Amino acid sequence: MVKPSYLKMLTDSDVSDLISSDLRELRNAGKKLATHVVKLSAVGFGATFLQWIASFAAIYLLILDRTNWKTNILTSLLIPYIFFSLPDLIFGFLRGEVGKWIAAIAVVLRLFFPRRFPDWLELPGALILLIVVAPGLFASTIRGDAIGEVICLIISCYLLQEHIRASGGFRNSFTKANGISNTIGIVLLFVFPVWALLLRVL
């Protein structure tokens, strides 16, 4: 014999309680989703923005070195720094056909017209050649990994230490006329690798 099953009738108050609890849960889930989206987009935007700042600071220091910052600092280390910190948009553009043409013209000028090839184009030409001919291991794997960020951090530390030594001390690096702009440029080199490594740890 089959036992009769009874259904409880839902009253209007039960239905409204269920709907209001469901809406409350949806509202909380929406708030959490919006908070996470804002946090993640801010982190991604911050990393990209700091990458642009650090790359332009390295290019600024390279220009300073070729104009009026004649010190014994090994500024050729800025080339691998720029290689590892250059934003993907510019890196992809220079790694393509445009970069190949620029590299070919630079090599032809350097080989056949060495007297017409200015000294200040040596390092930018080396950067373009490095971007164009770098193997995929460097260009895609190490460049976007913690190894590339650690290399950038090591270069930044070395350049800051050499700049302080060349200026005659920590205080002189901030008080000399050309020391302030160079110190600010070198300090800006730290922002991208430190932030990127911090994001990897967190």
Side-chain angles (χ1 to χ4, degrees), residues 36-58:
H36 292 160
V37 165
V38 168
K39 283 182 182 178
L40 289 176
S41 63
V43 166
F45 174 75
T48 304
F49 181 68
L50 293 177
Q51 187 177 19
W52 281 87
I53 287 177
S55 296
F56 283 122

Side-chain angles (χ1 to χ4, degrees), residues 3-160:
K3 291 183 178 180
S5 61
Y6 299 100
L7 292 176
K8 180 185 175 189
M9 277 190 71
L10 293 175
T11 62
D12 289 340
S13 63
D14 293 338
V15 171
S16 65
D17 288 343
L18 284 174
I19 291 176
S20 64
S21 70
D22 289 344
L23 289 176
R24 199 171 25 254
E25 288 176 13
L26 280 174
R27 186 172 43 248
N28 290 337
K31 284 181 183 178
K32 285 183 182 179
L33 177 65
T35 305
H36 292 160
V37 165
V38 168
K39 283 182 182 178
L40 289 176
S41 63
V43 166
F45 174 75
T48 304
F49 181 68
L50 293 177
Q51 187 177 19
W52 281 87
I53 287 177
S55 296
F56 283 122
I59 293 168
Y60 165 74
L61 290 172
L62 200 59
I63 292 169
L64 275 183
D65 180 56
R66 294 299 161 202
T67 55
N68 63 0
W69 183 33
K70 297 295 182 185
T71 62
N72 294 329
I73 296 175
L74 188 60
T75 53
S76 58
L77 283 175
L78 289 170
I79 298 303
Y81 183 93
I82 295 170
F83 175 81
F84 285 116
S85 69
L86 202 63
D88 293 334
L89 181 71
I90 298 174
F91 188 83
F93 180 72
L94 291 176
R95 194 156 166 85
E97 288 297 317
V98 173
K100 290 176 185 175
W101 275 100
I102 294 172
I105 291 169
V107 168
V108 167
L109 284 176
R110 184 73 180 113
L111 286 176
F112 298 113
F113 306 105
R115 293 181 189 210
R116 301 220 183 249
F117 194 78
D119 291 339
W120 57 270
L121 275 180
E122 291 282 337
L123 290 180
L127 174 63
I128 295 294
L129 278 173
L130 181 63
I131 289 173
V132 169
V133 302
L137 176 69
F138 289 109
S140 56
T141 306
I142 294 178
R143 201 177 92 76
D145 196 32
I147 297 170
E149 294 155 4
V150 168
I151 291 170
C152 288
L153 188 61
I154 291 169
I155 291 171
S156 303
C157 292
Y158 175 78
L159 288 176
L160 182 63

